[in-house]
Coordinates of all heavy atoms in Angstrom, one line a residue:
F98 N 29.3 -36.1 -2.1 CA 28.3 -35.1 -1.6 C 28.4 -33.8 -2.5 O 29.4 -33.4 -3.0 CB 28.6 -34.8 -0.2 CG 28.5 -35.9 0.7 CD1 29.6 -36.6 1.2 CD2 27.2 -36.4 1.1 CE1 29.5 -37.7 2.0 CE2 27.1 -37.4 2.0 CZ 28.2 -38.1 2.4
D99 N 27.2 -33.2 -2.5 CA 27.1 -31.9 -3.3 C 26.6 -30.8 -2.3 O 25.5 -30.5 -2.3 CB 26.2 -32.1 -4.5 CG 26.2 -30.9 -5.4 OD1 27.1 -30.1 -5.3 OD2 25.1 -30.7 -6.0
Y100 N 27.6 -30.3 -1.5 CA 27.2 -29.3 -0.5 C 27.1 -27.9 -1.1 O 27.8 -27.6 -2.0 CB 28.2 -29.3 0.6 CG 28.2 -30.6 1.5 CD1 29.3 -31.4 1.4 CD2 27.2 -31.0 2.2 CE1 29.4 -32.6 2.2 CE2 27.2 -32.1 3.0 CZ 28.3 -32.9 3.0 OH 28.3 -34.1 3.7
E101 N 26.2 -27.1 -0.5 CA 26.2 -25.7 -0.8 C 26.4 -25.0 0.5 O 26.0 -25.4 1.5 CB 24.8 -25.4 -1.4 CG 24.6 -26.0 -2.8 CD 23.2 -25.6 -3.3 OE1 22.8 -24.4 -3.1 OE2 22.6 -26.4 -4.0
I102 N 27.1 -23.8 0.4 CA 27.4 -23.1 1.6 C 26.8 -21.7 1.4 O 26.9 -21.1 0.4 CB 28.9 -23.0 1.8 CG1 29.5 -24.4 2.0 CG2 29.3 -22.1 2.9 CD1 31.0 -24.4 2.0
L103 N 26.2 -21.2 2.5 CA 25.7 -19.8 2.5 C 26.4 -19.0 3.5 O 26.6 -19.4 4.6 CB 24.2 -19.9 2.9 CG 23.5 -18.5 3.2 CD1 23.4 -17.8 1.9 CD2 22.2 -18.7 3.9
F104 N 26.9 -17.8 3.0 CA 27.5 -16.9 4.0 C 27.0 -15.5 3.5 O 26.7 -15.3 2.3 CB 29.0 -17.0 4.2 CG 29.8 -16.6 3.0 CD1 30.4 -15.4 3.0 CD2 30.1 -17.5 2.0 CE1 31.3 -15.0 1.9 CE2 30.9 -17.2 0.9 CZ 31.5 -15.9 0.9
V105 N 27.0 -14.5 4.4 CA 26.5 -13.2 4.1 C 27.5 -12.1 4.5 O 28.3 -12.4 5.4 CB 25.1 -13.0 4.8 CG1 24.0 -13.9 4.3 CG2 25.3 -13.1 6.4
K106 N 27.3 -11.0 4.0 CA 28.2 -9.8 4.4 C 27.3 -9.0 5.4 O 26.2 -8.6 5.1 CB 28.6 -9.0 3.2 CG 29.5 -7.8 3.6 CD 29.9 -7.0 2.4 CE 30.9 -6.0 2.9 NZ 31.3 -5.1 1.9
R107 N 27.9 -8.9 6.5 CA 27.2 -8.1 7.6 C 27.2 -6.6 7.2 O 28.2 -6.1 6.6 CB 27.9 -8.3 8.9 CG 27.8 -9.8 9.4 CD 28.3 -10.0 10.8 NE 27.7 -9.2 11.8 CZ 26.6 -9.4 12.4 NH1 25.8 -10.4 12.0 NH2 26.1 -8.6 13.3
R108 N 26.2 -5.9 7.6 CA 26.1 -4.5 7.4 C 27.2 -3.7 8.0 O 27.7 -4.1 9.1 CB 24.7 -3.9 7.9 CG 23.5 -4.5 7.3 CD 22.2 -4.0 7.9 NE 22.2 -4.4 9.3 CZ 22.0 -3.5 10.3 NH1 22.0 -2.2 10.1 NH2 22.0 -3.9 11.6
E109 N 27.7 -2.7 7.4 CA 28.7 -1.8 8.0 C 28.3 -1.2 9.3 O 29.1 -0.9 10.2 CB 29.1 -0.7 7.0 CG 29.7 -1.2 5.7 CD 31.1 -1.9 5.9 OE1 31.8 -1.6 7.0 OE2 31.5 -2.7 5.1
A110 N 27.0 -1.1 9.5 CA 26.5 -0.5 10.8 C 26.2 -1.5 11.9 O 25.8 -1.1 13.0 CB 25.1 0.3 10.5
A111 N 26.5 -2.8 11.6 CA 26.3 -3.8 12.6 C 27.2 -3.6 13.8 O 28.4 -3.2 13.6 CB 26.5 -5.2 12.0
R112 N 26.7 -3.9 15.0 CA 27.6 -3.8 16.2 C 28.7 -4.8 16.2 O 29.8 -4.5 16.7 CB 26.7 -3.9 17.5 CG 25.8 -2.7 17.7 CD 25.0 -2.8 19.0 NE 24.1 -3.9 18.8 CZ 23.7 -4.7 19.8 NH1 24.1 -4.6 21.0 NH2 22.8 -5.7 19.5
F113 N 28.3 -6.0 15.8 CA 29.3 -7.1 15.9 C 29.8 -7.4 14.5 O 29.0 -7.7 13.5 CB 28.6 -8.4 16.5 CG 29.5 -9.6 16.6 CD1 30.6 -9.6 17.5 CD2 29.3 -10.7 15.8 CE1 31.4 -10.7 17.6 CE2 30.1 -11.8 15.9 CZ 31.2 -11.8 16.8
M114 N 31.1 -7.4 14.3 CA 31.8 -7.7 13.0 C 31.2 -7.0 11.8 O 30.8 -7.6 10.8 CB 31.8 -9.3 12.8 CG 32.5 -10.0 13.9 SD 32.5 -11.8 13.6 CE 33.5 -12.0 12.2
P115 N 31.2 -5.7 11.8 CA 30.6 -4.9 10.7 C 31.4 -5.1 9.4 O 32.6 -5.2 9.5 CB 30.7 -3.5 11.2 CG 31.7 -3.5 12.3 CD 31.7 -4.8 12.9
G116 N 30.7 -5.4 8.3 CA 31.3 -5.5 7.0 C 32.0 -6.9 6.8 O 32.5 -7.1 5.7
Y117 N 32.0 -7.7 7.8 CA 32.6 -9.1 7.6 C 31.7 -10.0 6.8 O 30.5 -9.9 6.9 CB 32.9 -9.7 8.9 CG 34.2 -9.2 9.6 CD1 34.3 -7.9 10.1 CD2 35.3 -10.0 9.6 CE1 35.5 -7.5 10.6 CE2 36.5 -9.6 10.2 CZ 36.6 -8.3 10.7 OH 37.7 -7.9 11.3
H118 N 32.3 -11.0 6.1 CA 31.5 -12.1 5.5 C 31.5 -13.2 6.6 O 32.5 -13.6 7.1 CB 32.2 -12.6 4.2 CG 32.0 -11.6 3.1 ND1 32.9 -10.6 2.9 CD2 31.1 -11.6 2.2 CE1 32.5 -9.9 1.8 NE2 31.4 -10.5 1.4
V119 N 30.2 -13.6 6.9 CA 30.1 -14.6 8.0 C 29.1 -15.7 7.6 O 28.3 -15.5 6.7 CB 29.6 -13.9 9.3 CG1 30.6 -12.9 9.8 CG2 28.2 -13.2 9.0
F120 N 29.1 -16.8 8.3 CA 28.1 -17.8 8.2 C 27.0 -17.5 9.2 O 27.3 -17.2 10.4 CB 28.7 -19.2 8.5 CG 29.8 -19.6 7.6 CD1 31.1 -19.5 8.0 CD2 29.5 -20.1 6.3 CE1 32.1 -19.9 7.1 CE2 30.5 -20.5 5.4 CZ 31.8 -20.4 5.8
P121 N 25.7 -17.5 8.8 CA 24.7 -17.2 9.7 C 24.7 -18.2 10.9 O 25.0 -19.4 10.7 CB 23.4 -17.4 8.9 CG 23.8 -17.2 7.5 CD 25.2 -17.7 7.4
G122 N 24.5 -17.7 12.1 CA 24.5 -18.6 13.2 C 24.2 -17.8 14.5 O 24.1 -16.6 14.5
G123 N 24.2 -18.6 15.6 CA 23.9 -17.9 16.8 C 23.6 -19.0 17.9 O 24.2 -20.0 17.9
I124 N 22.7 -18.7 18.8 CA 22.4 -19.6 19.9 C 20.9 -20.1 19.7 O 20.1 -19.5 19.0 CB 22.6 -18.9 21.2 CG1 21.6 -17.7 21.4 CG2 24.0 -18.5 21.4 CD1 21.6 -17.1 22.7
T125 N 20.6 -21.2 20.4 CA 19.3 -21.7 20.4 C 18.5 -20.8 21.4 O 19.0 -20.3 22.4 CB 19.2 -23.1 20.8 OG1 19.7 -23.3 22.1 CG2 19.9 -24.0 19.9
E126 N 17.2 -20.7 21.1 CA 16.3 -19.9 22.0 C 15.2 -20.9 22.4 O 14.9 -21.9 21.7 CB 15.7 -18.7 21.2 CG 16.8 -17.7 20.8 CD 16.3 -16.6 20.0 OE1 15.1 -16.5 19.7 OE2 17.1 -15.7 19.6
T127 N 14.5 -20.5 23.4 CA 13.3 -21.3 23.9 C 12.3 -21.6 22.8 O 11.8 -22.7 22.7 CB 12.7 -20.7 25.1 OG1 13.7 -20.4 26.1 CG2 11.6 -21.5 25.7
S128 N 12.1 -20.6 22.0 CA 11.1 -20.7 20.9 C 11.6 -21.7 19.8 O 10.7 -22.1 19.0 CB 10.9 -19.4 20.2 OG 12.1 -18.9 19.7
D129 N 12.8 -22.2 19.8 CA 13.3 -23.2 18.9 C 12.9 -24.6 19.3 O 13.1 -25.5 18.5 CB 14.8 -23.1 18.7 CG 15.3 -21.8 18.2 OD1 14.6 -21.2 17.3 OD2 16.4 -21.3 18.6
E130 N 12.4 -24.8 20.5 CA 12.1 -26.1 21.0 C 10.7 -26.5 20.6 O 9.8 -26.3 21.3 CB 12.3 -26.1 22.6 CG 13.7 -25.8 23.0 CD 13.8 -25.6 24.5 OE1 12.8 -25.7 25.2 OE2 14.9 -25.2 24.9
L131 N 10.6 -27.0 19.4 CA 9.3 -27.3 18.8 C 8.9 -28.7 19.3 O 9.7 -29.6 19.4 CB 9.4 -27.3 17.3 CG 9.8 -26.1 16.6 CD1 9.8 -26.2 15.1 CD2 8.9 -24.9 17.0
P132 N 7.5 -28.9 19.5 CA 7.0 -30.2 19.8 C 7.0 -31.1 18.6 O 7.2 -30.6 17.5 CB 5.6 -30.0 20.3 CG 5.2 -28.7 19.7 CD 6.5 -27.9 19.6
E133 N 6.9 -32.4 18.7 CA 6.9 -33.3 17.6 C 5.8 -32.9 16.6 O 6.0 -33.1 15.4 CB 6.7 -34.7 18.0 CG 8.0 -35.3 18.6 CD 7.9 -36.8 18.8 OE1 7.1 -37.5 18.1 OE2 8.7 -37.3 19.6
K134 N 4.7 -32.5 17.0 CA 3.6 -32.1 16.1 C 3.5 -30.6 16.1 O 3.1 -29.9 17.0 CB 2.3 -32.7 16.5 CG 2.3 -34.2 16.5 CD 0.9 -34.7 16.2 CE 0.8 -36.2 16.2 NZ 1.3 -36.8 15.1
H135 N 4.0 -30.0 15.0 CA 4.1 -28.6 14.8 C 3.9 -28.2 13.3 O 4.4 -29.0 12.5 CB 5.4 -28.0 15.3 CG 5.5 -26.6 15.4 ND1 5.7 -25.7 14.4 CD2 5.3 -25.7 16.5 CE1 5.7 -24.5 14.8 NE2 5.5 -24.5 16.1
P136 N 3.2 -27.2 13.0 CA 2.9 -26.9 11.6 C 4.2 -26.6 10.7 O 4.2 -26.8 9.5 CB 2.1 -25.6 11.6 CG 1.9 -25.2 13.0 CD 2.5 -26.2 13.9
L137 N 5.3 -26.3 11.4 CA 6.5 -26.1 10.6 C 7.3 -27.3 10.4 O 8.4 -27.3 9.7 CB 7.4 -25.0 11.4 CG 6.9 -23.6 11.4 CD1 7.8 -22.8 12.3 CD2 6.7 -23.0 10.1
L138 N 6.9 -28.4 11.0 CA 7.6 -29.7 10.8 C 6.9 -30.7 9.9 O 5.7 -30.6 9.8 CB 7.8 -30.4 12.2 CG 8.6 -29.6 13.2 CD1 8.6 -30.3 14.6 CD2 10.1 -29.5 12.7
P139 N 7.6 -31.5 9.2 CA 7.0 -32.5 8.3 C 6.2 -33.5 9.0 O 6.5 -33.8 10.2 CB 8.2 -33.1 7.5 CG 9.4 -32.9 8.4 CD 9.1 -31.6 9.2
S140 N 5.2 -34.1 8.4 CA 4.5 -35.2 9.0 C 4.4 -36.3 7.9 O 3.9 -36.0 6.8 CB 3.1 -34.7 9.4 OG 2.4 -35.8 10.0
P141 N 4.8 -37.5 8.2 CA 5.3 -38.0 9.5 C 6.7 -37.4 9.7 O 7.5 -37.0 8.8 CB 5.4 -39.5 9.3 CG 5.5 -39.7 7.9 CD 4.8 -38.6 7.2
L142 N 7.1 -37.3 11.0 CA 8.3 -36.8 11.4 C 9.5 -37.7 11.1 O 9.4 -38.9 11.5 CB 8.3 -36.5 12.9 CG 9.3 -35.6 13.5 CD1 9.1 -34.2 12.9 CD2 9.1 -35.5 15.0
P143 N 10.5 -37.3 10.3 CA 11.6 -38.2 10.0 C 12.4 -38.6 11.3 O 12.4 -37.8 12.3 CB 12.6 -37.3 9.2 CG 11.8 -36.1 8.8 CD 10.7 -36.0 9.8
N144 N 13.0 -39.7 11.3 CA 13.7 -40.2 12.5 C 14.7 -39.2 13.1 O 14.8 -39.0 14.3 CB 14.4 -41.5 12.2 CG 13.5 -42.7 12.1 OD1 12.4 -42.6 12.6 ND2 13.9 -43.7 11.4
V145 N 15.4 -38.4 12.2 CA 16.4 -37.5 12.6 C 15.8 -36.4 13.5 O 16.5 -35.7 14.3 CB 17.2 -36.9 11.5 CG1 16.4 -36.0 10.6 CG2 18.5 -36.3 11.9
L146 N 14.5 -36.1 13.3 CA 13.9 -35.0 14.1 C 13.1 -35.5 15.3 O 12.4 -34.7 15.9 CB 12.9 -34.2 13.1 CG 13.6 -33.5 12.0 CD1 12.6 -32.7 11.2 CD2 14.6 -32.5 12.6
K147 N 13.1 -36.8 15.5 CA 12.3 -37.3 16.7 C 12.9 -37.0 18.0 O 12.3 -36.9 19.0 CB 12.1 -38.8 16.5 CG 11.1 -39.1 15.4 CD 10.8 -40.6 15.3 CE 9.8 -40.7 14.2 NZ 9.4 -42.1 14.0
E148 N 14.2 -36.7 18.0 CA 14.9 -36.3 19.3 C 14.8 -34.8 19.4 O 15.1 -34.1 18.5 CB 16.4 -36.7 19.2 CG 17.1 -36.4 20.5 CD 18.6 -36.6 20.4 OE1 19.0 -37.5 19.5 OE2 19.4 -36.0 21.1
Q149 N 14.3 -34.4 20.6 CA 14.1 -32.9 20.8 C 15.3 -32.1 20.5 O 15.2 -31.0 19.9 CB 13.6 -32.7 22.3 CG 13.4 -31.3 22.7 CD 12.3 -30.6 21.9 OE1 11.2 -31.2 22.0 NE2 12.5 -29.5 21.3
R150 N 16.5 -32.5 21.0 CA 17.7 -31.7 20.8 C 18.0 -31.5 19.3 O 18.4 -30.4 18.9 CB 18.9 -32.4 21.5 CG 20.2 -31.6 21.4 CD 20.2 -30.4 22.3 NE 21.4 -29.8 22.3 CZ 21.6 -28.4 22.4 NH1 20.6 -27.7 22.5 NH2 22.8 -27.9 22.3
M151 N 17.8 -32.5 18.5 CA 18.1 -32.4 17.0 C 17.0 -31.4 16.4 O 17.4 -30.6 15.5 CB 18.0 -33.7 16.4 CG 19.2 -34.6 16.7 SD 20.8 -33.8 16.3 CE 20.7 -33.6 14.6
R152 N 15.8 -31.5 16.8 CA 14.8 -30.6 16.3 C 15.1 -29.2 16.7 O 15.1 -28.3 15.8 CB 13.4 -30.9 16.9 CG 12.6 -31.9 16.2 CD 11.1 -31.9 16.5 NE 10.8 -31.9 17.9 CZ 10.8 -32.9 18.8 NH1 11.1 -34.1 18.3 NH2 10.5 -32.8 20.0
T153 N 15.5 -29.0 17.9 CA 15.9 -27.6 18.4 C 17.1 -27.1 17.6 O 17.1 -25.9 17.1 CB 16.2 -27.6 19.9 OG1 15.1 -28.1 20.6 CG2 16.6 -26.3 20.4
L154 N 18.1 -27.8 17.4 CA 19.3 -27.4 16.7 C 19.0 -27.0 15.3 O 19.5 -26.0 14.7 CB 20.4 -28.4 16.8 CG 21.1 -28.6 18.2 CD1 22.0 -29.8 18.2 CD2 21.8 -27.3 18.6
R155 N 18.3 -27.9 14.6 CA 18.0 -27.7 13.2 C 17.1 -26.5 13.0 O 17.3 -25.7 12.1 CB 17.4 -28.9 12.6 CG 18.5 -30.0 12.3 CD 17.9 -31.3 11.9 NE 18.9 -32.3 11.6 CZ 19.1 -32.8 10.5 NH1 18.3 -32.6 9.4 NH2 20.1 -33.7 10.3
F156 N 16.1 -26.3 13.9 CA 15.2 -25.2 13.8 C 15.9 -23.9 14.1 O 15.7 -22.9 13.4 CB 13.9 -25.3 14.7 CG 12.9 -24.3 14.3 CD1 12.1 -24.4 13.2 CD2 12.8 -23.2 15.2 CE1 11.2 -23.5 12.9 CE2 11.8 -22.2 14.9 CZ 11.0 -22.4 13.7
A157 N 16.8 -23.9 15.1 CA 17.6 -22.7 15.4 C 18.5 -22.3 14.2 O 18.6 -21.1 13.9 CB 18.4 -23.0 16.6
A158 N 19.1 -23.3 13.6 CA 19.9 -23.0 12.4 C 19.1 -22.3 11.3 O 19.5 -21.3 10.7 CB 20.6 -24.3 11.9
A159 N 17.9 -22.9 11.0 CA 17.0 -22.3 10.0 C 16.6 -20.9 10.4 O 16.6 -20.0 9.5 CB 15.8 -23.2 9.7
R160 N 16.2 -20.7 11.6 CA 15.8 -19.4 12.1 C 16.9 -18.4 12.0 O 16.7 -17.2 11.5 CB 15.3 -19.5 13.6 CG 15.0 -18.1 14.2 CD 14.7 -18.2 15.7 NE 15.7 -18.9 16.4 CZ 16.9 -18.3 16.8 NH1 17.2 -17.1 16.4 NH2 17.8 -19.0 17.5
E161 N 18.1 -18.7 12.4 CA 19.3 -17.8 12.3 C 19.6 -17.4 10.8 O 19.9 -16.3 10.5 CB 20.5 -18.5 12.9 CG 20.5 -18.5 14.4 CD 20.7 -17.2 15.1 OE1 21.1 -16.2 14.4 OE2 20.5 -17.1 16.3
V162 N 19.5 -18.4 9.9 CA 19.7 -18.1 8.5 C 18.6 -17.1 8.0 O 19.0 -16.1 7.4 CB 19.6 -19.3 7.6 CG1 19.5 -19.0 6.1 CG2 20.9 -20.2 7.9
F163 N 17.4 -17.3 8.4 CA 16.3 -16.4 8.1 C 16.5 -15.0 8.7 O 16.4 -14.0 8.0 CB 15.0 -16.9 8.5 CG 13.8 -16.1 8.1 CD1 13.5 -15.8 6.8 CD2 13.0 -15.5 9.1 CE1 12.4 -15.0 6.5 CE2 11.9 -14.7 8.8 CZ 11.6 -14.5 7.5
E164 N 16.9 -14.9 9.9 CA 17.1 -13.6 10.6 C 18.2 -12.8 10.0 O 18.2 -11.6 9.9 CB 17.4 -13.8 12.1 CG 16.2 -14.2 12.9 CD 16.5 -14.5 14.4 OE1 17.7 -14.4 14.7 OE2 15.6 -14.8 15.1
E165 N 19.3 -13.5 9.6 CA 20.5 -12.8 9.2 C 20.6 -12.6 7.7 O 21.3 -11.7 7.2 CB 21.7 -13.6 9.7 CG 21.9 -13.6 11.2 CD 23.2 -14.2 11.7 OE1 24.1 -14.2 10.9 OE2 23.2 -14.6 12.8
S166 N 19.8 -13.4 6.9 CA 20.0 -13.3 5.4 C 18.6 -13.1 4.7 O 18.6 -12.9 3.5 CB 20.7 -14.5 4.9 OG 19.9 -15.7 5.0
N167 N 17.5 -13.3 5.4 CA 16.2 -13.2 4.8 C 15.9 -14.4 3.9 O 15.1 -14.3 3.0 CB 15.9 -11.9 4.2 CG 14.5 -11.5 4.2 OD1 13.8 -11.8 5.2 ND2 14.0 -10.7 3.2
V168 N 16.7 -15.5 4.0 CA 16.5 -16.7 3.2 C 15.8 -17.7 4.1 O 16.3 -18.0 5.2 CB 17.8 -17.3 2.7 CG1 17.6 -18.6 2.1 CG2 18.5 -16.3 1.8
L169 N 14.6 -18.2 3.7 CA 13.8 -19.1 4.5 C 14.1 -20.5 3.9 O 13.7 -20.8 2.8 CB 12.4 -18.7 4.5 CG 11.5 -19.6 5.4 CD1 11.9 -19.6 6.8 CD2 10.0 -19.2 5.2
L170 N 14.7 -21.4 4.7 CA 14.9 -22.7 4.3 C 13.7 -23.6 4.6 O 13.5 -24.0 5.8 CB 16.2 -23.3 5.0 CG 17.4 -22.5 4.9 CD1 18.5 -23.0 5.8 CD2 17.9 -22.5 3.5
C171 N 12.9 -23.9 3.6 CA 11.7 -24.7 3.9 C 11.2 -25.3 2.6 O 11.7 -24.9 1.5 CB 10.6 -23.9 4.5 SG 10.0 -22.6 3.4
D172 N 10.4 -26.3 2.7 CA 9.8 -27.0 1.5 C 8.5 -26.3 1.0 O 8.4 -26.0 -0.1 CB 9.6 -28.5 1.8 CG 10.9 -29.3 1.8 OD1 11.8 -28.8 1.1 OD2 10.9 -30.3 2.4
P173 N 7.6 -26.1 1.9 CA 6.3 -25.6 1.5 C 6.4 -24.1 1.3 O 7.3 -23.4 1.8 CB 5.3 -25.9 2.6 CG 6.2 -26.0 3.8 CD 7.5 -26.5 3.4
I174 N 5.5 -23.5 0.6 CA 5.4 -22.1 0.4 C 4.8 -21.5 1.7 O 3.7 -22.0 2.2 CB 4.5 -21.7 -0.8 CG1 5.2 -22.2 -2.1 CG2 4.3 -20.2 -0.8 CD1 4.4 -22.0 -3.3
V175 N 5.4 -20.6 2.3 CA 4.9 -20.0 3.6 C 4.2 -18.7 3.3 O 4.7 -17.8 2.6 CB 6.1 -19.7 4.5 CG1 5.7 -19.1 5.8 CG2 6.9 -21.0 4.8
P176 N 2.9 -18.6 3.8 CA 2.1 -17.4 3.6 C 2.9 -16.1 4.1 O 3.6 -16.1 5.1 CB 0.9 -17.6 4.4 CG 0.8 -19.1 4.6 CD 2.2 -19.6 4.7
Q177 N 2.7 -15.0 3.4 CA 3.3 -13.8 3.7 C 3.1 -13.3 5.1 O 3.9 -12.8 5.8 CB 2.9 -12.7 2.7 CG 3.6 -11.4 2.8 CD 5.1 -11.6 2.4 OE1 5.5 -12.3 1.6 NE2 6.0 -10.8 3.1
E178 N 1.8 -13.5 5.6 CA 1.5 -13.0 7.0 C 2.3 -13.7 8.0 O 2.7 -13.2 9.1 CB 0.0 -13.1 7.3 CG -0.6 -14.5 7.2 CD -1.1 -14.9 5.8 OE1 -0.9 -14.1 4.9 OE2 -1.7 -15.9 5.7
L179 N 2.7 -15.0 7.8 CA 3.5 -15.7 8.7 C 5.0 -15.2 8.7 O 5.6 -15.0 9.7 CB 3.6 -17.2 8.5 CG 2.4 -18.0 9.1 CD1 2.6 -19.5 8.7 CD2 2.4 -17.9 10.6
L180 N 5.4 -14.9 7.5 CA 6.8 -14.3 7.3 C 6.9 -13.0 8.1 O 7.9 -12.7 8.7 CB 7.1 -14.1 5.8 CG 7.4 -15.4 5.0 CD1 7.7 -15.0 3.6 CD2 8.6 -16.2 5.6
E181 N 5.9 -12.2 7.9 CA 5.9 -10.9 8.6 C 5.9 -11.0 10.1 O 6.6 -10.3 10.8 CB 4.7 -10.0 8.2 CG 4.7 -9.6 6.7 CD 5.9 -8.8 6.4 OE1 6.4 -8.0 7.2 OE2 6.4 -9.0 5.2
K182 N 5.2 -12.0 10.6 CA 5.2 -12.3 12.1 C 6.6 -12.7 12.6 O 7.0 -12.4 13.7 CB 4.2 -13.4 12.3 CG 4.0 -13.8 13.8 CD 2.9 -14.9 13.9 CE 3.2 -15.7 15.1 NZ 2.3 -16.8 15.2
W183 N 7.3 -13.5 11.7 CA 8.6 -14.0 12.2 C 9.7 -13.0 12.0 O 10.8 -13.1 12.6 CB 9.0 -15.2 11.3 CG 8.1 -16.4 11.5 CD1 7.3 -16.6 12.6 CD2 7.9 -17.5 10.7 NE1 6.6 -17.8 12.5 CE2 6.9 -18.3 11.3 CE3 8.4 -17.8 9.4 CZ2 6.5 -19.5 10.7 CZ3 7.9 -18.9 8.8 CH2 7.0 -19.8 9.4
R184 N 9.5 -11.9 11.3 CA 10.6 -10.9 11.0 C 10.8 -10.1 12.3 O 10.2 -9.8 13.1 CB 10.3 -10.0 9.8 CG 10.5 -10.8 8.6 CD 10.6 -9.8 7.4 NE 11.0 -10.6 6.2 CZ 10.2 -11.0 5.3 NH1 9.0 -10.7 5.3 NH2 10.7 -11.7 4.3

């Protein structure tokens, strides 16, 4: 396998673990529970994403990375107006 790992340095002003190097992460939110047909999901839906729990976990992970590092893990180019809405 050829894995890549992402971790970020938290701001010194952060309330939780200021200045620490951390892996982006957190908890799932209701908004992470995407239906099978959603513009942010590939079509046709791969088998690994057909189960709701797997979709939720994977989307939450991508959202947390974006929130904490401003890195958006995706294949298509996302329009700027959508990025602004998600920030």
Side-chain angles (χ1 to χ4, degrees):
F98 296 101
D99 186 22
Y100 293 113
E101 294 183 33
I102 297 173
L103 171 71
F104 69 101
V105 296
K106 182 176 182 187
R107 295 185 57 81
R108 295 177 299 121
E109 295 294 336
R112 287 182 293 145
F113 180 69
M114 298 180 70
Y117 278 71
H118 286 88
V119 298
F120 298 101
I124 62 171
T125 60
E126 298 177 359
T127 304
S128 61
D129 297 325
E130 298 172 5
L131 303 180
E133 283 192 21
K134 297 211 182 279
H135 191 280
L137 294 175
L138 295 174
S140 182
L142 200 62
N144 286 337
V145 70
L146 294 179
K147 289 185 177 176
E148 182 187 336
Q149 178 65 54
R150 183 74 177 143
M151 288 305 294
R152 274 197 312 279
T153 300
L154 291 173
R155 285 173 177 239
F156 191 75
R160 176 188 50 76
E161 287 285 347
V162 167
F163 180 62
E164 286 178 358
E165 295 186 22
S166 67
N167 211 29
V168 172
L169 184 59
L170 305 171
C171 65
D172 285 332
I174 295 174
V175 177
Q177 189 64 34
E178 59 272 7
L179 276 180
L180 288 177
E181 292 303 322
K182 179 179 153 185
W183 295 338
R184 286 197 169 102

